[in-house]
Amino acid sequence: MTDRIAKKSRKRKKIIKISALIGVLLIGMIGYGMYWAFFDMNRLPVGEYVTEKTSPDGTYTIKAYRTNAGATTSYSIRGELTFNNSTQKTKNIYWNNREDTAKINWLSNDKVVINGHTLEVPNEKYDFRQ
């Protein structure tokens, strides 16, 4: 009799572990899907070219683009970092809502100010949504 109870207990524990694993995977997939759909900077609209500035040593160039999502939203500025001396892909490092111009000032070879937001390139990003 105790053998049967032990088998049932092991089976119940196994079912609980599998259910928990499936639950964690499902929550992870939903979370990643939400991030991808709403917060991934690689999915930003292209926009129209506004201006660009190259770093003092010529390593980086930041190009600014103005985007318009329609009549019910304001303009936004997207800043794209280009690696001049490398084959690295360009990447979005700046995204701010309610702006229609871009003022870009380099403080050093790897520190830039875009519309009052200071970033150290190539690793830092500014995204108004986060």
Side-chain angles (χ1 to χ4, degrees), residues 57-60 82-88:
D57 66 352
T59 303
Y60 308 108
T82 303
F83 299 88
N84 297 330
N85 303 328
S86 153
T87 58
Q88 281 184 279

Side-chain angles (χ1 to χ4, degrees), residues 5-70:
I5 294 172
K7 282 182 183 179
K8 275 187 174 184
S9 178
R10 280 189 296 239
K11 189 175 182 180
R12 185 173 290 142
K13 285 181 184 180
K14 188 175 182 180
I15 290 172
I16 290 172
K17 285 180 183 179
I18 291 172
S19 298
L21 180 63
I22 289 172
V24 167
L25 288 174
L26 188 61
I27 290 171
M29 288 172 48
I30 290 170
Y32 178 76
M34 296 286 287
Y35 170 79
W36 178 82
F38 298 110
F39 297 103
D40 187 1
M41 286 188 77
N42 293 322
R43 294 178 34 87
L44 296 176
V46 176
E48 66 181 76
Y49 175 81
V50 176
T51 188
E52 70 181 58
K53 290 278 176 126
T54 302
S55 63
D57 66 352
T59 303
Y60 308 108
T61 298
I62 295 182
K63 295 179 182 178
Y65 298 88
R66 177 180 31 240
T67 63
N68 182 4

Side-chain angles (χ1 to χ4, degrees), residues 77-130:
I77 294 292
R78 178 179 67 87
E80 181 181 87
L81 179 67
T82 303
F83 299 88
N84 297 330
N85 303 328
S86 153
T87 58
Q88 281 184 279
K89 276 179 53 176
T90 61
K91 67 181 196 176
N92 294 318
I93 63 165
Y94 184 82
W95 177 246
N96 202 9
N97 200 17
R98 296 186 180 101
E99 293 180 342
D100 60 356
T101 60
K103 184 177 178 188
I104 303 169
N105 291 321
W106 287 92
L107 300 178
S108 66
N109 292 330
D110 59 357
K111 190 174 258 189
V112 65
V113 178
I114 305 172
N115 290 348
H117 301 279
T118 304
L119 301 172
E120 284 202 32
V121 294
N123 299 323
E124 282 190 339
K125 296 178 180 182
Y126 176 78
D127 187 343
F128 77 94
R129 302 171 295 180
Q130 296 173 348

